[in-house]
Amino acid sequence: MPWIAHHHVYTPSRYAGGTQKMIELSATSRQPLRAAWTLERLNAELTINLGMSIDRSTHSTYTSAFNLYITFCCLHGFDIEPTPCTLALYVTFQSTYINPKSVDTYLSGICNQIETHFPDVRTARKSLLVSRALQGAKRHFGVPTHRKLPLTNNNLLEVLAAYQPSPSHDDKLFLAQLFVGTTCLLRLAELAWPNTIALQDYRKVSMRHLTQISDTAISFWLPGHKADRFFEGNRLFVHASTNEPFLLFKSYLSSRDSMFRARPELWLRSDGTIPTRSWFINRLRHFFPNSIAGQSMRAGRATALAEAGVAPTLIQTAGRWTTDTFNRYVRKSPFLFEALLSGCPPWNELH
């Protein structure tokens, strides 16, 4: 195993003195001399790092996909080694029961879960046989994607008229989340916790002490999400010029601070719990059908910005989309695509 010192690679055969000399060299380096770990601790820390390589929700999905693959192999008496033929048969079988687009995602999960035991699984996944089987399944069993409608300004005003004036803390919370979430292009997962307790992660919870209030704006810190692998976070602003979002956010903070001055979480219900996805969606269902959901906030704000002539690159940055994700979103969202065409004359801005 190579030895590392002063950013150079050494091996006992290349460096006279071997281990003892390296210990002496380490003692004179600027780095402090650290005690050796036991093998048990090394393995434990390695396991933690491997487990955190993907988000909890993604890990749950990938584990489910892997379990389906194992069940398929056992059901048909196949070896679990992921050869092109086995994966192609798996695609054919699963596509008759679930959307082939989901099967495509499941293949990624299988690769992630089984790669340590079968290093060639990604080669098999990309093989011509598997690719054509998946393409054929999408043509054979594919169904149109029913995208959620964007949340419009009239929709927001409808909710506002129904709740105001209301002394209820939970009403103020819902209004603030709905308006702030739309204004700041937030994902629902950035406002509320998952319903599944095992997927709830405090590293993704916005905190009250990181929120700043002035006469011109309210800013709060958005911690990392699953697309932000290094949890760098972002500071988001709700300016006073936005009127309703600013006033509703300020009203909620006043209510929250009077009830939970010692609690660190930014978004809290009247019972002291962090709002969950189901809590938010259930309230949304009082006003809108299933065609409007959590992602409608981002879709609505992005569409409104495009209609106002904002450049796609600025919308992408404001929404914290990666380039590839944003380009796919534009292509798949008829509302945003139409808004970009009508609101942004320069065609080259779309690319």
Side-chain angles (χ1 to χ4, degrees), residues 9 23 36 61 63 68 118 184 186 249 251 256-257 284 306 351:
V9 178
I23 293 176
T61 302
T63 300
L68 285 175
F118 300 100
C184 296
L186 292 176
F249 199 3
S251 175
R256 178 231 174 270
D257 291 347
L284 201 64
H351 300 282

Side-chain angles (χ1 to χ4, degrees), residues 17-39:
T19 303
Q20 182 60 37
K21 191 65 177 179
M22 291 304 303
I23 293 176
E24 295 174 1
L25 181 60
S26 176
T28 61
S29 71
R30 296 181 180 180
Q31 296 296 325
L33 184 62
R34 297 179 174 86
W37 287 0
T38 63
L39 182 59

Side-chain angles (χ1 to χ4, degrees), residues 156-157 160 174-184 244-245 248:
L156 294 173
L157 294 178
L160 181 62
F174 177 70
L175 282 174
Q177 286 193 312
L178 186 64
F179 276 76
V180 171
T182 302
T183 302
C184 296
E244 282 87 1
L248 291 172

